[in-house]
Amino acid sequence: MQRLDKIISSQLNISRSIARNDIRIGKVFVDGQLVRDPSFQTNPEKAFIKHCGQPVGYKEYVYILLNKPKGVLSASEDKKRETVVDLIPETLRRPNIAPVGRLDKDTTGLLILTDDGDFAHRVISPKKNVVKTYKVWLDGEVTEEMCEKFAEGITLADGTKCRPAELNILEDKVAEIKISEGKYHQIKRMFGTAGLGVDGLERRAIGKLRLPENLGIGQCRELTKPELEQIFSN
Ligand code: URA
């Protein structure tokens, strides 16, 4: 059971005070009955709630998949710069929505946004071993020797140890890399140890969830239940 003002505010992404006011002035019906008490308790999974004549479809959390463009910040808000949350349509926004982990400003590709903190933790935590796959464009040649070194687990310039990572050569200067942790600028720093600069970086998959081919750059959509499960199967 939840308070009606809380349900209206979380589902419509409006403030609690606006939700309370809307209820008091008669904009909200629950199971066909006008309810003017903001503290009215109901089960949001079962009740049929209408706000301004429109059904309020209840979802405890939202899970959004975004094809992140270059130049956008992986943050919830920033005073000056555009963030990934700015790319989410109003209808999918929630008060606590945030990106699951961070991609650098110039990195593109698969980014999940959610207001489910436990889920976000499971995706990010190195203990959960969720593999993230990236395509990387380099300013020099990738060698078999690098693949072997990455597979053993390399040490970054500042002494930080990385877990073993799978590196596959796609073309002379293009590779695919799989990592199960997310240290700051990790991939750029990993290639830095081999004297290579990263010209482009795109996240292609999280677990078995791949960036959909038909999701254009800057586009987003809700994740389906089977897609959510794919994240946790490596
Ligand atoms: N590693 C990086 O260096 N940058 C990213 O955005 C992700 C992983």
Side-chain angles (χ1 to χ4, degrees), residues 102-107 134 179 182-189 198 201 203:
R102 282 168 189 264
L103 290 178
D104 295 341
K105 200 172 168 196
D106 56 354
T107 300
Y134 294 81
I179 56 174
K183 300 184 197 304
Y184 182 66
H185 292 330
Q186 180 163 343
I187 293 175
K188 291 173 184 162
R189 289 158 73 208
V198 170
L201 187 59
R203 184 152 64 192

Side-chain angles (χ1 to χ4, degrees), residues 89-145:
E90 288 283 339
T91 47
L92 289 179
R93 275 197 216 167
R94 293 285 185 91
N96 298 322
I97 203 154
V100 175
R102 282 168 189 264
L103 290 178
D104 295 341
K105 200 172 168 196
D106 56 354
T107 300
T108 60
L110 177 52
L111 184 69
I112 298 169
L113 294 102
T114 187
D115 51 352
D116 181 349
D118 286 344
F119 166 87
H121 177 74
R122 281 197 289 142
V123 177
I124 300 167
S125 169
K127 284 192 195 133
K128 303 290 176 192
N129 247 325
V130 175
V131 174
K132 286 92 182 173
T133 306
Y134 294 81
K135 187 169 178 180
V136 52
W137 289 264
L138 299 146
D139 65 1
E141 207 173 314
V142 204
T143 62
E144 288 296 342
E145 196 192 332

